[in-house]
Amino acid sequence: AAGVIQSPRHLIKEKRETATLKCYPIPRHDTVYWYQQGPGQDPQFLISFYEKMQSDKGSIPDRFSAQQFSDYHSELNMSSLELGDSALYFCASSLVGSDTQYFGPGTRLTVL
Amino acid sequence: LAKTTQPISMDSYEGQEVNITCSHNNIATNDYITWYQQFPSQGPRFIIQGYKTKVTNEVASLFIPADRKSSTLSLPRVSLSDTAVYYCLVGAYGGATNKLIFGTGTLLAVQP
């Protein structure tokens, strides 16, 4: 069965650079979530989209933005990267109203 | 969303049954109880969900007492591959946004 696809899987950036993470949800899933998991931490919700509209927002820095496109894939744009942004970034998808989220393999971002 | 409390870590041996209890004293009437499993550097994976009494699937069982202020995830005959962090989450689902709020999970270490 098709799963959530995230790219790239690994990304190394310098401080103050920008990064773009991509997420391709499971086919026919209309809702996408982004989570951040720092080293030794629990996943933290960043933002979600339903039918290309932002549906909820968590502790996402103003330096980050995201959107969902007409094909339902989503991109998380991160600017002015800081050392503290180094983390695993997970994307999850679901059908609206579903209680089950399916997570992708994550993108490991390292900021040097 | 209801706050959950679960043990930080548990140890077990292969072949044993493992029970992880989660407290959620402030659970709301329309809240469900959901458990996710996370292996290192992988996205969380849905295990089981319930509202009351007992739920069983091919992976685990979930026991919920009548007052719903706690729940117990039961893993029968664990193996080394069950070593992971287990998260108990409580929340209402069915709307356009079902963000997951992860608390501190339980690190289960299964030894041979």
Side-chain angles (χ1 to χ4, degrees):
Chain A
V4 175
I5 297 172
Q6 291 188 245
S7 68
R9 293 294 310 279
H10 302 272
L11 191 58
I12 299 175
K13 291 287 185 179
E14 301 277 343
K15 281 195 308 183
R16 292 180 288 278
E17 286 191 322
T18 62
T20 297
L21 310 185
K22 297 184 179 181
C23 169
Y24 298 86
I26 292 172
R28 293 185 296 280
H29 280 193
D30 49 22
T31 306
V32 168
Y33 304 82
W34 286 96
Y35 295 85
Q36 176 192 58
Q37 186 170 28
Q41 313 245 327
D42 305 304
Q44 299 295 313
F45 169 73
L46 291 178
I47 195 167
S48 62
F49 292 88
Y50 164 63
E51 284 291 342
K52 292 150 282 183
M53 298 289 290
Q54 180 182 308
S55 54
D56 202 351
K57 194 172 181 179
S59 50
I60 182 170
D62 292 340
R63 301 178 287 107
F64 294 7
S65 65
Q67 58 181 322
Q68 185 180 32
F69 295 85
S70 57
D71 63 351
Y72 295 101
H73 94 272
S74 177
E75 295 184 3
L76 177 65
N77 299 294
M78 311 159 71
S79 63
S80 302
L81 287 169
E82 303 174 355
L83 296 178
D85 296 328
S86 294
L88 266 170
Y89 289 83
F90 292 108
C91 168
S93 74
S94 73
L95 287 168
V96 67
S98 171
D99 43 34
T100 304
Q101 293 184 22
Y102 296 85
F103 283 76
T107 294
R108 182 175 295 281
L109 172 67
T110 302
V111 181
L112 302 176
Chain B
L1 296 173
K3 178 179 170 60
T4 60
T5 303
Q6 44 183 126
I8 292 176
S9 65
M10 293 183 69
D11 292 322
S12 183
Y13 292 95
E14 282 191 293
Q16 289 189 329
E17 178 184 74
V18 171
N19 296 307
I20 306 175
T21 297
C22 176
S23 297
H24 28 79
N25 292 316
N26 297 321
I27 189 168
T29 302
N30 55 346
D31 283 343
Y32 281 75
I33 301 152
T34 309
W35 286 79
Y36 277 78
Q37 173 193 55
Q38 186 178 28
F39 297 112
S41 297
Q42 293 188 29
R45 182 176 74 106
F46 173 88
I47 300 176
I48 197 167
Q49 184 186 74
Y51 183 81
K52 62 180 179 180
T53 63
K54 177 183 175 182
V55 179
T56 297
N57 61 24
E58 65 277 6
V59 177
S61 295
L62 179 59
F63 299 92
I64 306 168
D67 66 5
R68 305 199 328 122
K69 293 184 182 300
S70 67
S71 59
T72 299
L73 174 73
S74 181
L75 304 172
R77 298 179 298 281
V78 295
S79 64
L80 295 176
S81 62
D82 292 316
T83 294
V85 176
Y86 292 82
Y87 291 98
C88 165
L89 296 93
V90 172
Y93 303 104
T97 172
N98 298 315
K99 63 186 175 189
L100 299 178
I101 305 298
F102 291 86
T104 301
T106 299
L107 173 59
L108 172 65
V110 180
Q111 301 175 34

